[in-house]
Amino acid sequence: MAGTVEPPMAPEVAAAGGLRTGWTTGTCAAAAAKAALIELVTGAAPLEVEVGLPGGRRVAFGVEAEARRRCVVVKDAGDDPDCTDGARMTAEVAFARGATATGHRSRVEEGPPPAETFRSGPVGTVLLGGVGIGTVTKPGLGLPVGEASITPVPRRMIAAALAEVDPRPVVVTFSVPGGEAMAAKTSNARLGIVGGISILGTTGVVKPFSTAAYRASVVQQIDVAAAQGADVIVLSTGTRSDAFAQAALPQLPPVCFVEVGDFTGIALRRAASRGLRRVVWVGMVGKITKLAAGVMMTHYRRSAVDTGILATVARQAGAPAAVVAAATETSTARHFYETCTAAGAVEPLRLLCVRAASACRAHVGGALDVDVVCVDFDGAIEVARG
């Protein structure tokens, strides 16, 4: 967009070079399901099982046999700070009623087809969510309401893993002990996923500190809000600003609040493309200064604070000399902010918010009405808005 820029993540940050990769819940679910089916077919659970990733690579996982037809694969998230690291992805498998050796012609004989019939696999194969697996309760996730939260790529991986063992349709019930507590640390509740974690992933691999995963989460949350008919979305940069926003706007449902981190640009574009009307952006002075300069990817490694903008708004506001000087004394916006608040000079911060809001509107060609709210560093009070 004219007047704005969105630098990519630094390659070393995006790739998290030197850190150990891990595996998605989807990959672990595919491995557990395959192991359980092997046990069902042969009577003996394998000590190790191999599954294919979407990109064609094959990886092996250790298996724990819990009971007849039930196997566990323990998730290893590598060096990613993932709340599902160590999750015991459990799969229990049974042949679908009426399953025959021809497989592709089999079906569930009694009653209507289950909502979770896996249409990419053998007809009649069913994927269910047990204890610790979330259930979809709102539209917008690309999954029917009432289904277990198992996203499309893992579904394909699971089907492929099962087909390597036996062509007959099966019923697979996934569970994760403690999954509901894990889900409390994710955005599942806001997305309308209740009761546990999601089985997800697009590549099968977890990259440490994965920016791609975070960006995808932001997009997903906005899609869900739009599907609920929301026309206002509240974007915050982190936990403190999000808590402030929810307290300040209690009339909005939780689905309208999205922690975007550094991904303001993609969030704005997604909101505009989904027909939302208004965005309230809540954050602290450093990222606001970057937005005011037209920088829509605000990670500290990809953009620096433009102290010239701080000096400009200070002069425009007729701020005291100490505030003007603070704009260029250091490279941090926090020093400028603290000098403003100590001097009781809020107007420079308001003008900064005005500039940031204008840049956000420009980024989407005026398709959104944008308010920018500056909160203090405790996320306790509103300092300025524009």
Side-chain angles (χ1 to χ4, degrees), residues 236-254:
S236 61
T237 57
T239 303
R240 286 170 292 175
S241 53
D242 177 69
F244 171 87
Q246 293 201 53
L249 297 166
Q251 73 275 18
L252 294 179

PDB file of all heavy atoms in Angstrom, residues 236-254:
ATOM      1  N   SER A 236      -4.675  -6.169  19.473  1.00  0.00           N
ATOM      2  CA  SER A 236      -3.738  -5.786  20.527  1.00  0.00           C
ATOM      3  C   SER A 236      -2.400  -6.451  20.254  1.00  0.00           C
ATOM      4  O   SER A 236      -2.315  -7.417  19.504  1.00  0.00           O
ATOM      5  CB  SER A 236      -4.263  -6.201  21.905  1.00  0.00           C
ATOM      6  OG  SER A 236      -4.421  -7.610  21.969  1.00  0.00           O
ATOM      7  N   THR A 237      -1.367  -5.923  20.890  1.00  0.00           N
ATOM      8  CA  THR A 237      -0.028  -6.439  20.592  1.00  0.00           C
ATOM      9  C   THR A 237       0.447  -7.507  21.566  1.00  0.00           C
ATOM     10  O   THR A 237       1.465  -8.138  21.318  1.00  0.00           O
ATOM     11  CB  THR A 237       0.988  -5.289  20.583  1.00  0.00           C
ATOM     12  OG1 THR A 237       0.942  -4.608  21.838  1.00  0.00           O
ATOM     13  CG2 THR A 237       0.670  -4.304  19.466  1.00  0.00           C
ATOM     14  N   GLY A 238      -0.261  -7.691  22.663  1.00  0.00           N
ATOM     15  CA  GLY A 238       0.190  -8.677  23.638  1.00  0.00           C
ATOM     16  C   GLY A 238      -0.795  -8.840  24.772  1.00  0.00           C
ATOM     17  O   GLY A 238      -1.907  -8.290  24.754  1.00  0.00           O
ATOM     18  N   THR A 239      -0.388  -9.571  25.789  1.00  0.00           N
ATOM     19  CA  THR A 239      -1.283  -9.946  26.879  1.00  0.00           C
ATOM     20  C   THR A 239      -1.808  -8.744  27.644  1.00  0.00           C
ATOM     21  O   THR A 239      -3.007  -8.648  27.940  1.00  0.00           O
ATOM     22  CB  THR A 239      -0.550 -10.895  27.849  1.00  0.00           C
ATOM     23  OG1 THR A 239      -0.085 -12.028  27.126  1.00  0.00           O
ATOM     24  CG2 THR A 239      -1.472 -11.338  28.965  1.00  0.00           C
ATOM     25  N   ARG A 240      -0.935  -7.800  27.973  1.00  0.00           N
ATOM     26  CA  ARG A 240      -1.376  -6.654  28.770  1.00  0.00           C
ATOM     27  C   ARG A 240      -2.327  -5.750  27.997  1.00  0.00           C
ATOM     28  O   ARG A 240      -3.360  -5.308  28.523  1.00  0.00           O
ATOM     29  CB  ARG A 240      -0.163  -5.867  29.261  1.00  0.00           C
ATOM     30  CG  ARG A 240       0.611  -6.539  30.381  1.00  0.00           C
ATOM     31  CD  ARG A 240       1.926  -5.842  30.659  1.00  0.00           C
ATOM     32  NE  ARG A 240       2.857  -6.003  29.525  1.00  0.00           N
ATOM     33  CZ  ARG A 240       4.047  -5.428  29.452  1.00  0.00           C
ATOM     34  NH1 ARG A 240       4.458  -4.627  30.426  1.00  0.00           N
ATOM     35  NH2 ARG A 240       4.830  -5.638  28.424  1.00  0.00           N
ATOM     36  N   SER A 241      -1.991  -5.466  26.745  1.00  0.00           N
ATOM     37  CA  SER A 241      -2.875  -4.601  25.964  1.00  0.00           C
ATOM     38  C   SER A 241      -4.192  -5.305  25.655  1.00  0.00           C
ATOM     39  O   SER A 241      -5.250  -4.667  25.593  1.00  0.00           O
ATOM     40  CB  SER A 241      -2.185  -4.138  24.677  1.00  0.00           C
ATOM     41  OG  SER A 241      -1.688  -5.225  23.941  1.00  0.00           O
ATOM     42  N   ASP A 242      -4.155  -6.614  25.486  1.00  0.00           N
ATOM     43  CA  ASP A 242      -5.387  -7.355  25.250  1.00  0.00           C
ATOM     44  C   ASP A 242      -6.287  -7.327  26.484  1.00  0.00           C
ATOM     45  O   ASP A 242      -7.510  -7.149  26.371  1.00  0.00           O
ATOM     46  CB  ASP A 242      -5.057  -8.799  24.885  1.00  0.00           C
ATOM     47  CG  ASP A 242      -6.302  -9.639  24.703  1.00  0.00           C
ATOM     48  OD1 ASP A 242      -7.028  -9.409  23.718  1.00  0.00           O
ATOM     49  OD2 ASP A 242      -6.563 -10.523  25.546  1.00  0.00           O
ATOM     50  N   ALA A 243      -5.706  -7.494  27.660  1.00  0.00           N
ATOM     51  CA  ALA A 243      -6.495  -7.451  28.892  1.00  0.00           C
ATOM     52  C   ALA A 243      -7.141  -6.083  29.057  1.00  0.00           C
ATOM     53  O   ALA A 243      -8.307  -5.968  29.459  1.00  0.00           O
ATOM     54  CB  ALA A 243      -5.606  -7.777  30.096  1.00  0.00           C
ATOM     55  N   PHE A 244      -6.382  -5.026  28.749  1.00  0.00           N
ATOM     56  CA  PHE A 244      -6.949  -3.680  28.826  1.00  0.00           C
ATOM     57  C   PHE A 244      -8.117  -3.536  27.863  1.00  0.00           C
ATOM     58  O   PHE A 244      -9.175  -3.010  28.212  1.00  0.00           O
ATOM     59  CB  PHE A 244      -5.882  -2.629  28.494  1.00  0.00           C
ATOM     60  CG  PHE A 244      -6.469  -1.247  28.345  1.00  0.00           C
ATOM     61  CD1 PHE A 244      -6.628  -0.435  29.446  1.00  0.00           C
ATOM     62  CD2 PHE A 244      -6.889  -0.783  27.100  1.00  0.00           C
ATOM     63  CE1 PHE A 244      -7.205   0.827  29.318  1.00  0.00           C
ATOM     64  CE2 PHE A 244      -7.461   0.474  26.960  1.00  0.00           C
ATOM     65  CZ  PHE A 244      -7.615   1.283  28.070  1.00  0.00           C
ATOM     66  N   ALA A 245      -7.922  -3.985  26.625  1.00  0.00           N
ATOM     67  CA  ALA A 245      -8.955  -3.834  25.606  1.00  0.00           C
ATOM     68  C   ALA A 245     -10.240  -4.536  26.011  1.00  0.00           C
ATOM     69  O   ALA A 245     -11.347  -3.993  25.850  1.00  0.00           O
ATOM     70  CB  ALA A 245      -8.446  -4.370  24.274  1.00  0.00           C
ATOM     71  N   GLN A 246     -10.122  -5.753  26.536  1.00  0.00           N
ATOM     72  CA  GLN A 246     -11.320  -6.487  26.916  1.00  0.00           C
ATOM     73  C   GLN A 246     -12.049  -5.816  28.075  1.00  0.00           C
ATOM     74  O   GLN A 246     -13.284  -5.811  28.125  1.00  0.00           O
ATOM     75  CB  GLN A 246     -10.962  -7.928  27.265  1.00  0.00           C
ATOM     76  CG  GLN A 246     -10.474  -8.727  26.072  1.00  0.00           C
ATOM     77  CD  GLN A 246     -10.603 -10.225  26.289  1.00  0.00           C
ATOM     78  OE1 GLN A 246     -11.677 -10.712  26.627  1.00  0.00           O
ATOM     79  NE2 GLN A 246      -9.523 -10.949  26.089  1.00  0.00           N
ATOM     80  N   ALA A 247     -11.282  -5.242  29.002  1.00  0.00           N
ATOM     81  CA  ALA A 247     -11.911  -4.536  30.115  1.00  0.00           C
ATOM     82  C   ALA A 247     -12.558  -3.234  29.651  1.00  0.00           C
ATOM     83  O   ALA A 247     -13.614  -2.834  30.155  1.00  0.00           O
ATOM     84  CB  ALA A 247     -10.873  -4.250  31.202  1.00  0.00           C
ATOM     85  N   ALA A 248     -11.935  -2.579  28.668  1.00  0.00           N
ATOM     86  CA  ALA A 248     -12.438  -1.289  28.191  1.00  0.00           C
ATOM     87  C   ALA A 248     -13.638  -1.429  27.261  1.00  0.00           C
ATOM     88  O   ALA A 248     -14.433  -0.492  27.127  1.00  0.00           O
ATOM     89  CB  ALA A 248     -11.317  -0.538  27.478  1.00  0.00           C
ATOM     90  N   LEU A 249     -13.774  -2.590  26.625  1.00  0.00           N
ATOM     91  CA  LEU A 249     -14.856  -2.796  25.662  1.00  0.00           C
ATOM     92  C   LEU A 249     -15.646  -4.053  26.004  1.00  0.00           C
ATOM     93  O   LEU A 249     -15.710  -5.007  25.228  1.00  0.00           O
ATOM     94  CB  LEU A 249     -14.270  -2.904  24.247  1.00  0.00           C
ATOM     95  CG  LEU A 249     -13.536  -1.652  23.737  1.00  0.00           C
ATOM     96  CD1 LEU A 249     -12.715  -1.976  22.503  1.00  0.00           C
ATOM     97  CD2 LEU A 249     -14.540  -0.547  23.442  1.00  0.00           C
ATOM     98  N   PRO A 250     -16.267  -4.075  27.180  1.00  0.00           N
ATOM     99  CA  PRO A 250     -16.944  -5.298  27.633  1.00  0.00           C
ATOM    100  C   PRO A 250     -18.165  -5.654  26.796  1.00  0.00           C
ATOM    101  O   PRO A 250     -18.658  -6.778  26.871  1.00  0.00           O
ATOM    102  CB  PRO A 250     -17.335  -4.962  29.075  1.00  0.00           C
ATOM    103  CG  PRO A 250     -17.465  -3.465  29.082  1.00  0.00           C
ATOM    104  CD  PRO A 250     -16.405  -2.977  28.149  1.00  0.00           C
ATOM    105  N   GLN A 251     -18.670  -4.710  26.008  1.00  0.00           N
ATOM    106  CA  GLN A 251     -19.851  -4.988  25.192  1.00  0.00           C
ATOM    107  C   GLN A 251     -19.547  -5.875  23.988  1.00  0.00           C
ATOM    108  O   GLN A 251     -20.456  -6.437  23.383  1.00  0.00           O
ATOM    109  CB  GLN A 251     -20.469  -3.668  24.699  1.00  0.00           C
ATOM    110  CG  GLN A 251     -19.693  -2.936  23.613  1.00  0.00           C
ATOM    111  CD  GLN A 251     -18.586  -2.035  24.168  1.00  0.00           C
ATOM    112  OE1 GLN A 251     -18.161  -2.186  25.318  1.00  0.00           O
ATOM    113  NE2 GLN A 251     -18.163  -1.067  23.363  1.00  0.00           N
ATOM    114  N   LEU A 252     -18.264  -6.012  23.660  1.00  0.00           N
ATOM    115  CA  LEU A 252     -17.892  -6.846  22.515  1.00  0.00           C
ATOM    116  C   LEU A 252     -17.661  -8.288  22.960  1.00  0.00           C
ATOM    117  O   LEU A 252     -17.079  -8.533  24.016  1.00  0.00           O
ATOM    118  CB  LEU A 252     -16.620  -6.310  21.853  1.00  0.00           C
ATOM    119  CG  LEU A 252     -16.712  -4.938  21.191  1.00  0.00           C
ATOM    120  CD1 LEU A 252     -15.347  -4.545  20.607  1.00  0.00           C
ATOM    121  CD2 LEU A 252     -17.771  -4.939  20.093  1.00  0.00           C
ATOM    122  N   PRO A 253     -18.062  -9.261  22.155  1.00  0.00           N
ATOM    123  CA  PRO A 253     -17.814 -10.662  22.502  1.00  0.00           C
ATOM    124  C   PRO A 253     -16.329 -10.992  22.402  1.00  0.00           C
ATOM    125  O   PRO A 253     -15.592 -10.325  21.656  1.00  0.00           O
ATOM    126  CB  PRO A 253     -18.623 -11.436  21.460  1.00  0.00           C
ATOM    127  CG  PRO A 253     -18.772 -10.494  20.311  1.00  0.00           C
ATOM    128  CD  PRO A 253     -18.829  -9.118  20.902  1.00  0.00           C
ATOM    129  N   PRO A 254     -15.870 -12.007  23.123  1.00  0.00           N
ATOM    130  CA  PRO A 254     -14.436 -12.351  23.126  1.00  0.00           C
ATOM    131  C   PRO A 254     -13.866 -12.612  21.744  1.00  0.00           C
ATOM    132  O   PRO A 254     -12.683 -12.367  21.496  1.00  0.00           O
ATOM    133  CB  PRO A 254     -14.385 -13.614  23.994  1.00  0.00           C
ATOM    134  CG  PRO A 254     -15.563 -13.487  24.902  1.00  0.00           C
ATOM    135  CD  PRO A 254     -16.630 -12.823  24.086  1.00  0.00           C
TER     136      PRO A 254
END
